[in-house]
Amino acid sequence: MKLYLNGCGKYPAEQALLTFFPEERPEYPSGEPEGDRCELKVAMRNERIICTCLLVRGGQEYRARASLNHSRIVDEVTRERFTGRVVKLAFFRAALASGIPYPEWGCLTGVRPVKLVEGYLRGGLTKTAARGKFMRDYYVSKRRATLSVDAAEASIEAENSLDARDVCLYVGIPFCPTRCAYCSFVSQSVEKSMGLVEPYLEALEREIDATAEAVSRAGLRPVALYMGGGTPTTLSSGQLDRLCSKLEGAFDLSALREYTVEAGRPDTITADKLSVLHAHAVRRLSVNPQTMSDSVLQAIGRRHTSEDIEGTMSLVRAMGVFEVNMDLIAGLQTDTAEGFAASLGRVMAFEPENITVHTLAVKRGSRLHLEGAELPPAAEVEKMLSGAMSALSGAGYSPYYLYRQKYMSGGFENVGWTRPGFASLYNICIMEELRSIISMGAGGSTKLIAPGGRLERHFAPKYPGEYIAAIDRVCADKERIVEFHGV
């Protein structure tokens, strides 16, 4: 869609465009406005910041206006925030007038809606009042507002349990047995890159040492450790033992409250690997079927069956020591609302401590995006998610973290559901930016967070080969942890 902007930046306009018209991509033509387009103009008048929107679609014009009191604008940061909000609100109203279905998330476009609700609760509002304000301010549906309030309460509880020097650690293993059709993570099939695994581990061990030294000098205390990927259990039992031993030897893990390993693919989980993880005090596993339909598994490129998942869960449960998260994705190709409900029912029969319900996001770099595929429509995905909400809440699960992504089917959300007492501290910390997440490994994203909200991001090279080649620089960059957090 052609965007013509006056008095506002590209970012809020693009966010709104991708949310309300996900099939469109922004264009910025020069010259006089013409054809199908969106014109956004922001101005200050008296004590109001005002945005007018002209949306032209199919030759029809749709006009809308939004305004906010700008008395709370005190600096450039708050100016951008208020400008972005009024732009999105005007665009939202014009989009509704053009006939788009009413979005469940109203005029919200950000990935972390829970942060807004946290602010209401910390400001003294009750749950009911916070939900009502969220619905009024952003036109969010009652159901999504309720999800957000529940997740905000879990976030506040987690925050209250943390010390100022607490941090979380992430270790990335960018290898998988095969690449799933929806995957956009930087991971390589071990079939094609077996020769990289050993040099990758050697480089990772060097980064672990450098990171541990910086964490110690900065006086930080790891309270959660998450090993993700990729699929960490692609490694052999001996490699897992070596990696876990390295982490234990390098870091002071005496205050660790949570140790999670993604064992996402059942075709990588064996009894000896589970024994290794148990021996190293791993107590939380993520076993991620994504679907329990064999036909959908085949469509997304998995080489295992739903029966394999059942066998894996029997093996995991027989150990008697692991808390388990299981992931499902709503909106996968060839799936239906009835099929998704059946998958959820089979997953719930395992009684996992956590169930994460994702909405499919067709990301650039995924095979779905590159090759295209016929996907369930947004209305069908909403049936999947609504059914999941009812089933999970009825079985005693509650939402404890929530986030949204670009290019997500129907503009919906990902929600982590938990049985009482089993919320993942790491997941809450990373989604609500409660504490620093210090990453190690290829494609790692370190997010340093200080009291007051100051934030820095640092990224490792994405691909294993690049990471190995750049390991000297990667290790040297760990000094930034000390510079940011040092006392």
Side-chain angles (χ1 to χ4, degrees):
M1 181 185 292
K2 299 174 185 176
L3 297 179
Y4 296 88
L5 310 179
N6 186 339
C8 64
K10 293 181 178 180
Y11 184 67
E14 288 186 357
Q15 278 194 310
L17 175 65
L18 293 174
T19 300
F20 307 134
F21 300 100
E23 73 284 357
E24 300 275 3
R25 293 297 177 267
E27 301 175 26
Y28 297 95
S30 58
E32 290 296 315
E34 62 179 3
D36 284 4
R37 63 192 185 276
C38 180
E39 299 179 36
L40 292 158
K41 182 177 181 179
V42 176
M44 297 286 189
R45 295 176 189 166
N46 299 322
E47 294 184 352
R48 310 293 293 180
I49 179 171
I50 300 169
C51 179
T52 57
C53 177
L54 169 63
L55 179 64
V56 182
R57 290 183 60 78
Q60 295 293 312
E61 294 186 356
Y62 307 94
R63 297 178 184 271
R65 180 179 181 275
S67 70
L68 294 169
N69 187 303
H70 65 61
S71 61
R72 287 184 291 167
I73 296 178
V74 296
D75 54 24
E76 191 58 33
V77 173
T78 53
R79 179 180 295 276
E80 289 182 6
R81 185 182 306 138
F82 273 71
T83 301
R85 183 174 169 192
V86 79
V87 164
K88 294 170 187 176
L89 186 53
F91 203 149
F92 166 72
R93 289 172 175 168
L96 280 185
S98 75
I100 68 164
Y102 197 100
E104 284 286 309
W105 285 101
C107 64
L108 276 180
T109 62
V111 300
R112 294 182 174 86
V114 174
K115 278 184 171 291
L116 296 168
V117 182
E118 280 184 57
Y120 299 155
L121 294 175
R122 291 184 186 280
L125 293 185
T126 65
K127 288 179 61 175
T128 301
R131 184 179 66 186
K133 180 172 175 56
F134 194 41
M135 293 169 65
R136 290 191 303 274
D137 286 356
Y138 296 97
Y139 301 89
V140 177
S141 74
K142 183 176 182 179
R143 201 156 199 180
R144 262 60 188 188
T146 301
L147 283 177
S148 300
V149 170
D150 289 343
E153 282 198 310
S155 179
I156 291 172
E157 182 180 351
E159 167 72 23
N160 292 340
S161 75
L162 292 166
D163 183 80
R165 307 302 290 178
D166 289 346
V167 295
C168 300
L169 304 177
Y170 177 86
V171 180
I173 306 298
F175 300 99
C176 279
T178 59
R179 189 176 178 89
C180 296
Y182 57 80
C183 183
S184 65
F185 285 102
V186 178
S187 59
Q188 293 190 226
S189 165
V190 291
E191 295 175 321
K192 300 179 180 179
S193 55
M194 277 299 295
L196 285 176
V197 175
E198 273 300 320
Y200 177 81
L201 289 175
E202 291 171 6
L204 179 58
E205 288 174 337
R206 288 184 57 192
E207 187 184 3
I208 288 169
D209 282 334
T211 306
E213 193 268 342
V215 165
S216 177
R217 284 170 55 208
L220 303 176
R221 182 175 74 165
V223 292
L225 196 166
Y226 193 104
M227 191 182 298
T231 306
T233 44
T234 300
L235 300 179
S236 69
S237 58
Q239 289 167 334
L240 281 172
D241 184 42
R242 167 183 159 190
L243 179 55
C244 292
S245 296
K246 183 65 179 180
L247 290 164
E248 291 166 3
F251 289 97
D252 177 2
L253 300 180
S254 59
L256 204 66
R257 294 163 51 182
E258 182 179 284
Y259 193 165
T260 304
V261 171
E262 283 193 3
R265 300 281 290 264
D267 43 343
T268 68
I269 303 171
T270 61
D272 57 337
K273 293 179 187 181
L274 293 177
S275 295
V276 165
L277 297 177
H278 177 215
H280 288 284
V282 174
R283 292 297 178 266
R284 189 171 181 274
L285 294 179
S286 196
V287 180
N288 304 328
Q290 315 304 4
T291 175
M292 295 295 287
S293 164
D294 288 337
S295 62
V296 179
L297 285 169
Q298 184 176 14
I300 64 175
R302 294 250 178 153
R303 293 185 179 176
H304 61 78
T305 65
S306 58
E307 187 175 337
D308 294 329
I309 296 165
E310 292 179 344
T312 294
M313 283 303 299
S314 295
L315 191 64
V316 170
R317 285 310 198 192
M319 297 286 294
V321 294
F322 296 112
E323 300 170 16
V324 177
N325 170 76
M326 299 185 77
D327 283 5
L328 290 172
I329 298 179
L332 292 171
Q333 62 265 51
T334 76
D335 208 357
T336 63
E338 293 75 15
F340 185 82
S343 289
L344 178 62
R346 292 178 67 181
V347 163
M348 290 174 66
F350 301 125
E351 299 184 347
E353 284 71 19
N354 298 158
I355 296 176
T356 305
V357 179
H358 295 271
T359 301
L360 179 67
V362 182
K363 298 180 182 179
R364 296 173 183 175
S366 69
R367 188 154 51 84
L368 281 181
H369 180 264
L370 296 173
E371 299 176 3
E374 186 173 347
L375 301 172
E380 191 77 359
V381 176
E382 166 61 8
K383 290 180 184 178
M384 298 178 188
L385 298 175
S386 294
M389 290 181 208
S390 297
L392 289 164
S393 58
Y397 289 85
S398 59
Y400 76 96
Y401 82 99
L402 179 159
Y403 67 103
R404 302 173 70 205
Q405 295 174 282
K406 288 182 180 180
Y407 316 118
M408 183 170 273
S409 178
F412 296 119
E413 69 284 323
N414 301 325
V415 181
W417 295 81
T418 185
R419 289 166 51 193
F422 293 102
S424 166
L425 177 64
Y426 177 88
N427 283 339
I428 297 175
C429 282
I430 193 169
M431 292 307 160
E432 301 310 320
E433 298 177 331
L434 301 184
R435 291 296 185 273
S436 291
I437 307 293
I438 298 174
S439 296
M440 293 156 278
S445 173
T446 289
K447 188 182 293 186
L448 302 176
I449 299 169
R454 185 167 64 95
L455 186 151
E456 284 185 13
R457 290 181 174 89
H458 304 288
F459 302 95
K462 290 183 178 181
Y463 299 98
E466 294 175 353
Y467 170 80
I468 294 165
I471 193 58
D472 289 340
R473 176 181 62 79
V474 170
C475 291
D477 283 349
K478 297 303 175 181
E479 186 65 24
R480 295 175 179 178
I481 298 170
V482 181
E483 294 169 357
F484 186 92
H485 275 298
V487 291

